[in-house]
């Protein structure tokens, strides 16, 4: 026995890809929402604690300065020169680029200042620093 389409002499001319696109977009949204959390859990930073802190928008470039003075750009280890070059290219494409700097509290202020200088030298003007709120005792 043949199906209805074959009885009329017509074959299947197209495949409905809408469900595939829907599933792909949902998975992409889930990945984007969890990537920020995964990156922050993988870095072992001991952030300084302050009494007055604000939340940072999640749509910013994440730069981490670890205790051993290594620099991470969105989870990828880079040097200071590479950081400046990469941020320069990103700032050229997006003039409103936002950068969040998370520096370990054991890192000296001079090292933090050199990273901030590299960020500003790349043309980024919107820089935030990440801290943790102090616990009330």
């Amino acid at each position: 026995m043949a199906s209805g389409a074959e009885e009329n002499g017509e074959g299947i001319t197209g495949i409905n890809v809408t469900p595939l696109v829907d599933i792909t977009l949902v998975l992409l949204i889930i990945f984007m929402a969890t990537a920020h959390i995964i990156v922050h859990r993988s870095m072992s930073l001991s952030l300084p604690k302050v009494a007055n802190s604000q939340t940072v928008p999640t749509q910013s470039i994440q730069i981490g300065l670890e205790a051993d003075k290594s620099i991470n750009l969105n989870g990828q280890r880079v040097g200071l020169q590479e950081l400046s070059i990469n941020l320069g290219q990103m700032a050229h494409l997006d003039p409103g680029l936002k950068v969040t700097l998370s520096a370990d509290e054991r890192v000296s202020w001079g090292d933090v200042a050199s990273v901030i200088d590299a960020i500003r030298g790349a043309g980024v003007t919107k820089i935030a620093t990440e801290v943790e709120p102090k616990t009330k005792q």
Side-chain angles (χ1 to χ4, degrees):
M1 291 208 168
S3 67
E6 292 177 3
E7 289 176 3
N8 294 336
E10 299 175 10
I12 298 175
T13 58
I15 297 174
N16 187 2
V17 295
T18 304
L20 177 65
V21 171
D22 289 345
I23 291 170
T24 305
L25 289 176
V26 168
L27 290 174
L28 178 65
I29 291 170
I30 291 170
F31 174 74
M32 289 171 50
T34 59
H36 180 71
I37 296 168
I38 292 170
V39 168
H40 272 80
R41 287 188 182 169
S42 66
M43 291 190 291
S44 59
L45 295 177
S46 176
L47 296 175
K49 296 173 180 40
V50 296
N52 302 313
S53 65
Q54 296 177 340
T55 58
V56 178
T58 57
Q59 296 181 347
S60 64
I61 303 297
Q62 300 292 321
I63 298 175
L65 181 58
E66 297 187 20
D68 62 353
K69 299 180 184 177
S70 62
I71 303 170
N72 293 317
L73 175 62
N74 284 339
Q76 300 292 324
R77 188 164 284 195
V78 295
L80 194 59
Q81 186 71 13
E82 290 175 86
L83 175 70
S84 182
I85 292 169
N86 288 339
L87 285 177
Q89 292 171 349
M90 290 180 203
H92 181 69
L93 296 174
D94 181 12
L97 185 68
K98 299 174 187 172
V99 172
T100 303
L101 175 61
S102 304
D104 195 288
E105 66 183 351
R106 296 170 286 192
V107 177
S108 71
W109 172 244
D111 295 326
V112 174
S114 65
V115 172
I116 291 174
D117 185 47
I119 295 169
R120 285 186 180 154
V124 178
T125 57
K126 297 179 181 178
I127 305 169
T129 55
E130 187 172 9
V131 293
E132 291 180 349
K134 283 186 179 180
T135 56
K136 295 184 180 184
Q137 298 176 356

